[in-house]
């Protein structure tokens, strides 16, 4: 699903990219809900993947003009992976798109 989202994003089809990233995020969220709380996977790689998917969906949402939703995804992505330059960049871009330059500058 991630690869399909990436492919659609590269082709400029952000609507389909959002759909595939959303499916992947939902799949991971569902997998995390089993009895063990981690879907049988190590938590850190899963968090990193969730962060990457959210950051990618944030970019697609920015391309669709959905700045508020893009910001929400970027905030979630940075919470999952504070070291992600991509997630921080998406957060800045979404803040700028929302006319909140003063908040964007604080993140730089």
């Amino acid at each position: 699903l991630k690869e399909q989202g990436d492919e659609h994003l590269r082709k400029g089809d952000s609507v389909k990219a959002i759909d595939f990233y959303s499916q992947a995020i939902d799949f991971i969220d569902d997998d995390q809900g089993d009895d063990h709380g981690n879907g049988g996977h190590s938590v850190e790689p899963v968090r990193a993947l969730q962060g990457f998917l959210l950051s990618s969906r944030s970019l697609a949402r920015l391309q669709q003009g959905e700045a508020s939703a893009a910001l929400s995804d970027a905030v979630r992505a940075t919470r999952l992976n504070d070291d992600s330059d991509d997630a921080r960049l998406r957060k800045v871009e979404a803040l700028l798109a929302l006319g909140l330059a003063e908040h964007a500058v604080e993140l730089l």
Side-chain angles (χ1 to χ4, degrees), residues 20-85:
F20 281 108
Y21 291 136
S22 296
Q23 288 180 53
I25 291 163
D26 290 345
F27 179 80
I28 291 171
D29 288 345
D30 289 347
D31 192 43
Q32 295 299 295
D34 74 356
D35 292 343
H36 303 291
N38 68 0
H41 304 291
S42 175
V43 173
E44 288 308 312
V46 171
R47 287 174 60 93
L49 178 57
Q50 283 176 309
F52 178 82
L53 290 166
L54 285 161
S55 179
S56 297
R57 187 172 73 178
S58 177
L59 175 59
R61 286 182 161 169
L62 281 167
Q63 291 176 354
Q64 278 299 111
E66 300 172 7
S68 292
L71 179 59
S72 176
D73 281 350
V75 167
R76 285 180 60 199
T78 55
R79 285 184 185 147
L80 289 167
N81 184 1
D82 191 43
D83 293 332
S84 172
D85 292 334

